Amino acid sequence: MLSLRSLFSKFFKNTTSTKKSAMINLILFGPPGSGKGTQATHLVDKYNLLHISTGDLFRSEIGNKTPLGLEAKSYIDKGELVPDSVTIGMLKKKVDENPDVKGYIFDGFPRTIPQAKALDTMLRESGQSVTLLLALQVDEEEIVTRLLNRAKTSGRSDDADENIIRNRIQVYLQNTAVVAGHYAESDKSVTVNGMGGIEEVFGRLTAEIDKTLVHQ
Ligand code: AMP
């Protein structure tokens, strides 16, 4: 006969796996200025997901003058990556605070292989995985133009200085681009042309997402 405890655990296991299997976990990927944040705000509406931008989380910590914010600022101001331990801890906290969502759009995370592995482990622990990584491709000169323009309204000092922008692009090429390859190993990485208007790029992204969801 089944004990009360095993009946309970069976019940909760089943409800958890039913809910989690329906989740959509997208990584919006690409160099700074490729339109990740803009596209994420449209995608969350269409797919009813939670948008998590590590850049936004850092800026909020900086605004609140927390110790984490102060540490992050020293890296962000130079266009360098914030250390993995700090970034992963902050991301995990945000995910843990929001378990009852249909899925996540990770924007600006993961930016290194250790971050990607930490994300995979974290999702696996709750019976989930990354659904798809969408890598936006934009020409370097277009990135510089977009970010210098954005600086006029964003007030972001890392957008206002061309040297810092170029350093961020180098960091992307050296440390971050490999993350797309990590997900390509499991056939979960697609490249999307990020040049053109917002609607046009949105159409390309949703076409890829819908294609993947049909086959899930
Ligand atoms: P973003 O808003 O995504 O352009 O990020 C702004 C800055 O925050 C980056 O240039 C990095 O200094 C820092 N940052 C954001 N996300 C990460 C991450 N996943 N890993 C390390 N640093 C990050």
Side-chain angles (χ1 to χ4, degrees), residues 147 149-157 159:
L147 292 183
N149 262 326
R150 187 171 75 180
K152 292 175 194 160
T153 51
S154 71
R156 283 178 55 171
S157 55
D159 283 349

Side-chain angles (χ1 to χ4, degrees), residues 26 44 67 73 78 92 96 133 139 186 188 191:
L26 304 173
V44 288
K73 190 174 180 341
K78 289 181 281 194
K92 273 189 175 159
D96 287 346
L133 176 150
D139 299 343
S186 49
K188 288 183 169 177
T191 299

Side-chain angles (χ1 to χ4, degrees), residues 1 23 35 40 66 88 109 112 129 134 142 147 172-173 188 205:
M1 207 170 88
M23 289 182 93
T66 65
I88 292 167
F109 183 93
T112 63
S129 61
L134 300 130
E142 169 75 10
L147 292 183
Y172 172 79
L173 294 173
K188 288 183 169 177
L205 289 169

Side-chain angles (χ1 to χ4, degrees), residues 5 70 116 122 128 155 158:
R5 181 194 286 255
L70 286 178
M122 187 174 64
Q128 305 171 54
D158 61 341

Side-chain angles (χ1 to χ4, degrees), residues 9 14 26 34-35 41 54 56 65 67 72 82-83 90 111-112 115 120 126 129 136 151 154 157 183 194 203 208:
S9 77
N14 286 340
L26 304 173
S34 55
T41 57
T54 39
D56 285 350
K65 297 192 168 58
V82 179
M90 181 182 71
R111 264 173 153 102
T112 63
Q115 289 182 19
D120 294 344
S126 51
S129 61
L136 287 167
S154 71
S157 55
Y183 289 100
E208 291 294 347

